[in-house]
Amino acid sequence: MKVTVGELTEMKRNGDKICMLTAYDTPTARLLDEAGVDVLLVGDSLGNVVLGYKDTLPVTMDQMIHHAAAVVRGVERALVIFDMPFMSYQASVEEAVRNAGRAIKETGCNMVKLEGGGRFADVVRAMVDSGIPVCAHLGLTPQSVNIIGYKAQGKQYEKAKEIEDDALALQAAGASMVVLECVPWMLAKHLTSILEMPTIGIGAGPDCDGQVLVLHDMVGLSGRKPPKFVKTFVNANALISKGVKQYVKEVKTSAYPTTEHSFTIQESIVKRLKAAAKNRKKK
Ligand code: KIV
C-alpha cells in the first residue's frame, strides 16, 4: 500500500523510523521501493550527483520533471518528493505555486520540498492551500552555497534559535515534514521533540524521526570522498568496475559472447543464403 503523508506523521507518533533516500531514475527507484525505503526524494542533488554540475544551482524545472516522472514510474509503495530547484519558488508566491503545481501534475510526485526558513512561510501556506503537501529543508541548504558555504549550521545560540523559529513558522504554515541537514545532533533532538511534523536528518544525528542520504554516497558511487556523516553501506563502484573490466577482457579475447548468448535460425536458411552469395560471385 502506498505510503501517505498521514502515515508519516503516524510513524513519528508511534516512534517508527522513516527511511528516505534520493533517486533519479526508474530502475533505481524500483530497487529502493522494493527494498522497503518509505520515501524517495528526487533531490536537486541530481545536478551534482548525476548531471555533472559542480553544485545544485543550474538544475531546472524541466530537468527535475524529466527525472521525477521516471522515478514515479518505478515506484509502487514509497511516497515520492519533488525537490524544487533553485529559483523555481524564490521570486514570488504565484510563481512558486505554479511551479509546484507543474511538479505534481507532470510527474505524479506526492509532495514538494523547498529550502529556506520562515521567510518562505507564505509560499508554503499557498502551496498547501492549493493541495500540495510541502517538506521544508533547514540547516545546511545547498542552494545558498554562495552565502553559507557547505558548513554545519546552528552551532551558536542565535543560529540554533533561528532554525527553531524557522521550523515552527514553517510547521504553522502547513509544512508536513522537515529535512534537517548538518545541524548538531542535540539541536536536531530538541527540534524533533518540540515539532509535530516528522524531522528527517542528514548529518543531524540519531534522534530525528527519520534519515535521508544521497544514494550515490551510501553505495560508494559518487566518485567523491563522502561527507563525514555518510556511512558507505556497499562499494558499488568496486563491484561495477570489476564487472566492466571483465566485460572488456572477454570482448577483446572473443570469450563473450558465445553462441549460448545468441539467437539461432535453421541451418537450411544459411545454406540458401550461402548458395545465393556464391551464384552472385560467379556472375
Ligand atoms: O537534493 C538532495 O539530495 C537533498 C538531500 C541532501 C536532502 O536535498
Side-chain angles (χ1 to χ4, degrees):
M1 273 252 288
K2 185 83 184 165
V3 175
T4 61
V5 179
E7 264 172 73
L8 296 176
T9 316
E10 199 57 32
M11 285 171 84
K12 173 180 177 111
R13 282 199 201 109
N14 296 339
D16 296 333
K17 293 282 187 179
I18 299 165
C19 183
M20 174 160 146
L21 279 175
T22 63
Y24 315 98
D25 62 61
T26 305
T28 313
R30 186 173 297 125
L31 199 76
L32 304 188
D33 192 47
E34 287 172 0
V37 178
D38 303 305
V39 182
L40 299 192
L41 169 66
V42 190
D44 63 349
S45 51
L46 170 73
N48 47 309
V49 174
V50 171
L51 300 182
Y53 296 126
K54 80 175 192 331
D55 52 40
T56 60
L57 302 187
V59 176
T60 64
M61 273 301 290
D62 287 343
Q63 287 168 333
M64 286 299 300
I65 284 173
H66 182 74
H67 285 265
V71 167
V72 169
R73 287 194 286 273
V75 166
E76 279 185 17
R77 176 183 168 271
L79 181 138
V80 185
I81 302 182
F82 182 103
D83 206 3
M84 299 294 289
F86 182 55
M87 289 319 293
S88 67
Y89 59 93
Q90 286 91 340
S92 72
V93 172
E94 195 182 317
E95 195 175 18
V97 173
R98 279 200 200 292
N99 279 324
R102 269 194 81 194
I104 301 293
K105 272 175 94 95
E106 295 179 34
T107 70
C109 281
N110 312 108
M111 187 185 270
V112 300
K113 175 170 89 57
L114 54 89
E115 297 182 7
R119 82 179 182 86
F120 291 103
D122 286 350
V123 170
V124 171
R125 193 169 296 110
M127 287 178 178
V128 175
D129 284 349
S130 307
I132 301 170
V134 178
C135 176
H137 184 158
L138 296 171
L140 195 174
T141 45
Q143 291 178 15
S144 305
V145 58
N146 291 322
I147 295 176
I148 61 172
Y150 292 114
K151 280 202 310 266
Q153 301 290 311
K155 289 187 172 179
Q156 274 78 38
Y157 174 78
E158 287 72 21
K159 188 67 195 178
K161 179 77 179 102
E162 187 184 310
I163 293 173
E164 182 188 70
D165 290 346
D166 284 341
L168 289 168
L170 294 166
Q171 178 174 266
S176 302
M177 197 153 79
V178 59
V179 167
L180 299 173
E181 180 162 354
C182 294
V183 300
W185 69 268
M186 279 183 273
L187 174 60
K189 183 176 183 180
H190 164 68
L191 294 173
T192 301
S193 73
I194 63 164
L195 292 170
E196 279 162 34
M197 61 180 170
T199 59
I200 307 293
I202 172 162
D207 298 298
C208 294
D209 298 307
Q211 297 292 327
V212 59
L213 283 175
V214 168
L215 175 74
H216 291 58
D217 284 339
M218 56 84 72
V219 298
L221 260 187
S222 65
R224 61 169 182 167
K225 188 175 173 287
K228 167 189 159 86
F229 56 81
V230 172
K231 177 172 169 184
T232 306
F233 286 81
V234 62
N235 191 345
N237 192 63
L239 287 177
I240 294 174
S241 174
K242 189 171 167 216
V244 172
K245 281 181 184 156
Q246 185 65 20
Y247 169 73
V248 171
K249 189 171 151 197
E250 293 194 17
V251 169
K252 298 276 186 196
T253 59
S254 299
Y256 174 86
T258 65
T259 51
E260 250 175 69
H261 306 107
S262 311
F263 303 98
T264 55
I265 51 170
Q266 287 171 354
E267 235 168 273
S268 59
I269 298 175
V270 182
K271 271 189 189 155
R272 270 179 68 186
L273 291 170
K274 280 186 177 166
K278 217 170 164 183
N279 283 341
R280 278 197 304 276
K281 231 180 177 178
K282 271 188 203 155
K283 286 176 193 163

